[in-house]
Amino acid sequence: MRKHTMGLLAMAAASTLALSACGGAEVGGEPEEGASAGGDGITIGIKYDQPGLGLQDGAEYTGFDVDVARYVANELGYSEDQITFKETPSANRESMLQNGDVDMIFATYSITDERKEVIDFAGPYFVAGQDLLVAADNTDITGPEDLEGKNLCSVTGSTSAEKIKTDYAEGVQLLERPGYAECVTALAAGQVDAVTTDDIILAGLSAANGDGNLKVVGAPFSEERYGVGLPKGSDRCEDINAAITKMIDDGTWEELVAANTEGADYTPNADLNPPTPDACA
Ligand code: GLU
């Protein structure tokens, strides 16, 4: 028991030292492969449960965000084997950047003023819109104005949950879950009437889980500009924006969108895509 406690203390001390020494992603004194800032590699935050965007499938990582992350990392001088992917759930993204757990995040991460107070963004590299996922035979929910008296599921720490709480709080029962896949389970089980988040996320989930029994309403009610999350004061923003611009100009962006939305009933809003990156802070 005593030994165990000592071991934990020593581990805590070691990791505190490691963190203060280089801000790297070392846990319990064990350096991770392709460790963070200071090492040779780069640690990139992605989603693990969003088909078509960021999905962990065994040792494979797939999706549009993952492909964009690989392209950008490559432009920054990192080869594929220097990249370590790490899961960054919606609610943990800012803190994981602040703690040095990840070097950059590509995870359907909307650029917002509130988030910009604590982290920086490069991009945007894509623009989605908040929408609703309902049962295929549902006819009474055609947009957010029909949510009165309904049970809705969204994810903690997302702009989607935030928007429901600020704009549609009256009469809507909001169930918050750590990830969208849990919300789809709740919808399939009839525990909620709808799931709300970005249309591209809902399209991917519906294609992967729905057996045709779920549908995206198709009436987006926000603009979600996906940025690359960076620690505050990062010097990578300009280079990332240059990489995004190159990716759009050389046709890769279009190819990646097409490849990752294949089989999903989804077309990006052509008025807003592809976007032009914002000036860096
Ligand atoms: N794009 C929204 C956000 O950044 C919703 C999707 C997500 O939770 O990743 O909050």
Side-chain angles (χ1 to χ4, degrees):
M1 175 67 190
R2 185 175 158 76
K3 204 172 159 203
H4 182 67
T5 314
M6 288 297 290
L8 279 179
L9 281 174
M11 258 169 62
S15 74
T16 310
L17 267 179
L19 280 174
S20 54
C22 67
E26 296 186 10
V27 178
E30 299 256 334
E32 293 190 2
E33 209 184 314
S36 192
D40 287 342
I42 190 153
T43 303
I44 301 181
I46 57 167
K47 294 293 182 73
Y48 275 14
D49 57 356
Q50 294 180 192
L53 287 153
L55 187 72
Q56 185 195 38
D57 182 6
E60 303 286 298
Y61 300 95
T62 60
F64 178 67
D65 280 342
V66 176
D67 287 342
V68 172
R70 285 194 178 111
Y71 184 101
V72 169
N74 193 259
E75 287 297 310
L76 297 180
Y78 297 95
S79 59
E80 177 74 38
D81 59 3
Q82 287 179 302
I83 301 173
T84 301
F85 287 113
K86 206 168 201 173
E87 185 177 23
T88 46
S90 294
N92 304 355
R93 291 175 292 199
E94 288 84 70
S95 65
M96 288 182 75
L97 284 169
Q98 288 173 302
N99 295 340
D101 292 335
V102 289
D103 295 308
M104 45 187 196
I105 291 184
F106 296 73
T108 59
Y109 201 6
S110 299
I111 300 171
T112 70
D113 288 341
E114 207 183 333
R115 290 171 178 164
K116 277 204 275 192
E117 285 175 17
V118 291
I119 60 138
D120 287 348
F121 282 103
Y125 59 89
F126 191 80
V127 185
Q130 185 169 354
D131 210 322
L132 297 158
L133 182 73
V134 296
D137 60 1
N138 181 304
T139 48
D140 57 328
I141 300 179
T142 57
E145 60 289 343
D146 299 325
L147 294 175
E148 173 99 47
K150 304 290 184 200
N151 294 313
L152 207 57
C153 187
S154 196
V155 165
T156 312
S158 68
T159 54
S160 329
E162 209 49 48
K163 190 165 186 69
I164 296 300
K165 287 191 258 188
T166 36
D167 296 358
Y168 304 97
E170 249 158 74
V172 179
Q173 276 284 59
L174 182 65
L175 176 72
E176 290 188 61
R177 287 285 174 260
Y180 297 104
E182 283 106 321
C183 279
V184 172
T185 306
L187 176 63
Q191 287 158 3
V192 293
D193 302 296
V195 176
T196 187
T197 188
D198 308 339
D199 46 12
I200 188 168
I201 301 176
L202 296 175
L205 285 165
S206 153
N209 303 286
D211 307 330
N213 50 13
L214 301 175
K215 69 175 178 197
V216 181
V217 165
F221 50 96
S222 77
E223 272 183 28
E224 305 298 324
R225 304 167 71 247
Y226 291 176
V228 181
L230 297 168
K232 196 125 200 96
S234 165
D235 58 8
R236 289 196 164 114
C237 179
E238 303 282 358
D239 289 344
I240 294 173
N241 280 353
I244 291 170
T245 303
K246 184 176 167 193
M247 175 183 70
I248 292 166
D249 291 348
D250 72 11
T252 305
W253 183 92
E254 187 124 32
E255 277 170 30
L256 296 181
V257 170
N260 288 294
T261 55
E262 209 193 315
D265 185 14
Y266 185 77
T267 316
N269 181 330
D271 293 336
L272 305 174
N273 285 289
T276 305
D278 295 339
C280 293

